[in-house]
Amino acid sequence: MLSDKKLNQLDELLLSIPIERDGMLLSEFDGFCSGLIVCPDMIMPSEWLPCVWGKGEDHFATLEALQSATDLIMRHYNDVAVSLTPPHIEYGPLFDEDKRTGEILWESWICGFEQAMRLRSDAWEQIVESPDEEAASSVTMLLALYNIAEGKSDLPKKSIKELTHQAPDLIPNMIIALNRWTKSSSLQSDLPPHVQAANKPTAPFSGKKVGRNALCPCGSGRKYKHCCRAN
């Protein structure tokens, strides 16, 4: 688990990304991690890492800076994965908070989650079409919350107000329901181990520094220098 100090470093790292690159902030990245982990399909870091720091990587002055940034990002991903690993589920999303009013701001988190969904939109249909009503309704509700966050909801104003208030309590339960579906799905049994990695009851990544010639921690089976470091 990232210490408060490391979490602050990750926050500062994401804040340092130039706004024009359209990178993620901490709460958004936390929602993105949750979406990646409960997705029915495994998504390799080489695909999703560029989404975190946005367009281009030349804001990292050195390879060491890129390594340090990747390490922090992967460690937080791993922390979210561990929090959703049976039998000890200790999941809690990182929401922003309005320091003036104490209001929990979940909108950035849900936007990150939806961005992860877009990477494998077809895969989420497996959950919606499954007989698991709780998991299926969770997908529908999370998308409804995303539409509220984006100001695109066609729900009655009263419903929007109620869901806006209830969202911080609803979201953790929905993620746990989706996580249960994903980890128990028989679809995983036909996939190779490195593809199952994020969705089986063990967390796939460690936060240790990776050598250039070591196997990439994403589980691709390739050397780090030819995989996530290259991406």
Side-chain angles (χ1 to χ4, degrees), residues 29-218:
F29 174 54
D30 187 72
F32 186 64
C33 288
S34 298
L36 294 170
I37 290 161
V38 301
C39 178
D41 287 353
M42 174 64 180
I43 305 174
M44 293 295 184
S46 55
E47 179 179 351
W48 61 255
L49 275 170
C51 300
V52 180
W53 46 57
K55 302 162 185 160
E57 297 174 14
D58 54 356
H59 52 281
F60 295 112
T62 64
L63 286 175
E64 288 74 18
L66 176 59
Q67 164 74 52
S68 178
T70 302
D71 182 58
L72 278 172
I73 288 167
M74 294 305 300
R75 287 182 64 183
H76 184 67
Y77 173 92
N78 195 47
D79 284 347
V80 178
V82 168
S83 74
L84 287 165
T85 300
H88 305 295
I89 302 294
E90 298 180 351
Y91 176 74
L94 284 180
F95 295 136
D96 291 324
E97 180 181 351
D98 188 324
K99 301 300 183 184
R100 299 168 300 171
T101 65
E103 180 185 2
I104 301 299
L105 306 174
W106 51 269
E107 289 84 353
S108 179
W109 185 97
I110 200 72
C111 288
F113 186 89
E114 191 273 342
Q115 188 167 346
M117 292 181 76
R118 271 188 276 135
L119 293 177
R120 291 292 186 279
S121 56
D122 291 345
W124 290 90
E125 290 297 323
Q126 299 173 23
I127 304 179
V128 174
E129 296 171 359
S130 77
D132 188 326
E133 293 183 4
E134 184 179 15
S137 64
S138 293
V139 175
T140 303
M141 179 60 74
L142 286 163
L143 288 173
L145 290 177
Y146 170 73
N147 285 330
I148 290 173
E150 291 290 287
K152 301 186 297 186
S153 178
D154 55 6
L155 292 172
K157 290 184 179 180
K158 182 179 179 181
S159 296
I160 291 175
K161 184 176 180 180
E162 290 175 351
L163 286 174
T164 298
H165 177 71
Q166 296 169 1
D169 295 321
L170 292 174
I171 286 172
N173 292 330
M174 291 188 289
I175 295 304
I176 290 171
L178 292 170
N179 184 63
R180 182 172 57 248
W181 185 95
T182 299
K183 286 185 168 60
S184 63
S185 174
S186 61
L187 294 173
Q188 296 303 313
S189 63
D190 296 327
L191 298 176
H194 73 273
V195 176
Q196 296 182 43
N199 298 330
K200 65 182 183 180
T202 55
F205 303 111
S206 69
K208 296 179 181 179
K209 188 172 182 178
V210 183
R212 293 177 68 255
N213 292 309
L215 291 178
C216 189
C218 76

Side-chain angles (χ1 to χ4, degrees), residues 12-19 21-24 52-54 59:
E12 291 172 4
L13 166 70
L14 297 175
L15 283 169
S16 72
I17 297 172
I19 191 169
R21 297 194 183 279
D22 197 25
M24 294 183 180
V52 180
W53 46 57
H59 52 281

